[in-house]
Amino acid sequence: MRIAELSRRGGVSVATIKYYIREGLLPPGRATAATQAEYDERHLRRLRLIRALTGVRGLSVGTTRELLGALSRNAGDTHLTLGLALGSIGPAEEPGEQAPEAAEVEALVAELGWDVHRSAPARATLAETLTSLRSLGVPLDWRTLLPYARLAERTAVLDLDQLDGIEDPLEAAERALLLTVLLEPALMALRRMAQENESAHRHAGPGPSPV
């Protein structure tokens, strides 16, 4: 396809596509003349992934370039590809500074028997959340999180079921990224609605529910 068709199908302007090529995010097309080139479905898939990384995950151009390089180097490893795309594994796979509650997160992961990389940012997020809760007088420990983690396991099964049948690793990475990040507000909304419903069952008096 010509660059105009790539622009139309990818939902990105021609100027943006040329910028991505200059910045090394998108490989050049096959030259057919001095000022013309052809592009294929691989360009389209990569362009859509770039849009998802920069638009949905909000990554900078430099970070996106680094991540795309890591994805290309590990294209044969679906598990690692998904981890990189979703941000559960960093390109350098180096752990950051640990919060005091990091040991509790380790205990939680061990109890669940989960296979989670030690550099996973979610570990740090969980530890920092426990620290913040305790500083505000809510002394939760990792055992309190166990039933929540079991619910998260069931959600993860539903998430990965959405990727069945997708063979191209970059297409799977794009789909996983969109489903995970864009679906999170809906999951939070469902939780809030479920909380309201449970509160109504437990505490609401007789009579019609408020509209």
Side-chain angles (χ1 to χ4, degrees):
M1 72 187 84
R2 296 289 181 86
I3 193 169
E5 183 179 355
L6 179 64
S7 169
R8 179 181 60 81
R9 294 179 62 187
V12 176
S13 70
V14 171
T16 299
I17 292 174
K18 292 180 178 180
Y19 171 70
Y20 287 160
I21 293 173
R22 288 196 305 272
E23 292 296 320
L25 276 70
L26 189 69
R30 183 179 65 85
T32 57
T35 59
Q36 293 184 343
E38 286 186 344
Y39 302 85
D40 56 26
E41 293 296 323
R42 290 174 300 177
H43 289 91
L44 181 60
R45 284 194 295 270
R46 189 174 176 102
L47 180 60
R48 287 173 174 167
L49 181 56
I50 293 169
R51 286 187 62 201
L53 290 170
T54 57
V56 177
R57 274 193 63 191
L59 300 183
S60 67
V61 169
T63 302
T64 299
R65 184 192 305 110
E66 179 184 3
L67 184 51
L68 288 171
L71 288 172
S72 297
R73 291 191 297 273
N74 298 280
D77 188 335
T78 301
H79 175 58
L80 183 55
T81 297
L82 293 178
L84 289 166
L86 295 174
S88 56
I89 302 174
E93 296 189 9
E94 294 179 358
E97 183 179 352
Q98 293 188 332
E101 279 71 17
E104 290 203 53
V105 175
E106 183 65 34
L108 175 65
V109 172
E111 177 67 21
L112 293 164
W114 284 0
D115 184 2
V116 180
H117 200 281
R118 289 190 175 277
S119 72
R123 285 178 175 263
T125 299
L126 203 53
E128 291 164 3
T129 300
L130 288 174
T131 301
S132 298
L133 286 170
R134 289 175 181 175
S135 71
L136 296 171
V138 185
L140 295 183
D141 66 9
W142 65 269
R143 293 175 182 83
T144 310
L145 297 177
L146 273 173
Y148 290 95
R150 293 303 183 191
L151 291 174
E153 281 184 325
R154 294 165 60 186
T155 302
V157 171
L158 295 174
D159 289 338
L160 271 294
D161 283 347
Q162 302 296 321
L163 306 180
D164 285 348
I166 301 178
E167 298 182 359
D168 184 271
L170 292 185
E171 184 179 356
E174 179 207 2
R175 179 75 63 85
L177 179 60
L178 293 174
L179 285 173
T180 300
V181 179
L182 294 183
L183 198 58
E184 282 178 350
L187 297 179
M188 182 60 70
L190 287 172
R191 184 186 183 194
R192 294 287 182 264
M193 293 166 67
Q195 288 172 338
E196 179 181 350
N197 176 67
E198 184 64 19
S199 176
H201 284 300
R202 294 191 185 198
H203 308 299
S209 299
V211 177

